[in-house]
Amino acid sequence: MNKPIRKFLLTCALLFSFPGIVSAGAGGEMTPIDLQTLVKPNPISLREASTLVGREDITFYDVNTLEIWADGHVPGSVYFNVKRWKRLLPENKDATLIFYCANQLCDSSREAAVSTMELGYTNVFHMADGIWGWRQRGYPIERP
């Protein structure tokens, strides 16, 4: 048997041995798409965020634990890790909102930003370096 035919037959045998791996269509009912994978907040650097602190038209949201927030947070930031978080959002859905948590390993702030975007807020940012990156850069912090 020549080499191309043997290769073809081997490929067919492998494909039919594992029927669920290569098939067209899902074969089931349609399910909703997880918006967490599609909606992504705008990234913002520590340097850029530091220039926005104190502006009345911009709100920083700290999504850390209460202990981390109390140990120091971006000046003027709102503690966001609460059950009734929707009450903390402004009425204006075009307001600039910046979310952060501890560091790049913490995903809570990105999830909070995405949930806010799903409510229709359009100017949402995620400061991935978080409060630890903020402190490492020597930016000012505030304590309650």
Side-chain angles (χ1 to χ4, degrees), residues 22-120:
V22 181
S23 60
E29 300 223 4
M30 293 180 65
T31 57
I33 295 174
D34 179 13
L35 290 178
Q36 296 278 346
T37 60
L38 296 178
V39 178
K40 298 193 185 320
N42 300 306
I44 189 167
S45 70
L46 292 169
R47 176 181 282 175
E48 187 178 1
S50 72
T51 67
L52 303 175
V53 172
R55 287 188 38 182
E56 289 187 24
D57 59 332
I58 297 173
T59 307
F60 282 80
Y61 290 102
D62 188 313
V63 191
N64 286 301
T65 64
L66 188 56
E67 293 81 12
I68 294 174
W69 181 81
D71 191 40
H73 50 270
V74 173
S77 65
V78 175
Y79 179 65
F80 196 76
N81 199 354
V82 295
K83 289 182 181 183
R84 296 184 174 162
W85 59 269
K86 290 179 185 176
R87 293 181 179 183
L88 301 173
L89 299 172
E91 285 186 35
N92 178 8
K93 299 230 175 173
D94 294 326
T96 300
L97 314 176
I98 301 173
F99 291 84
Y100 69 92
C101 51
N103 55 33
Q104 290 187 10
L105 298 176
C106 177
D107 206 33
S108 299
S109 57
R110 187 193 64 77
E111 290 174 10
V114 168
S115 294
T116 302
M117 293 173 73
E118 289 172 350
L119 294 174

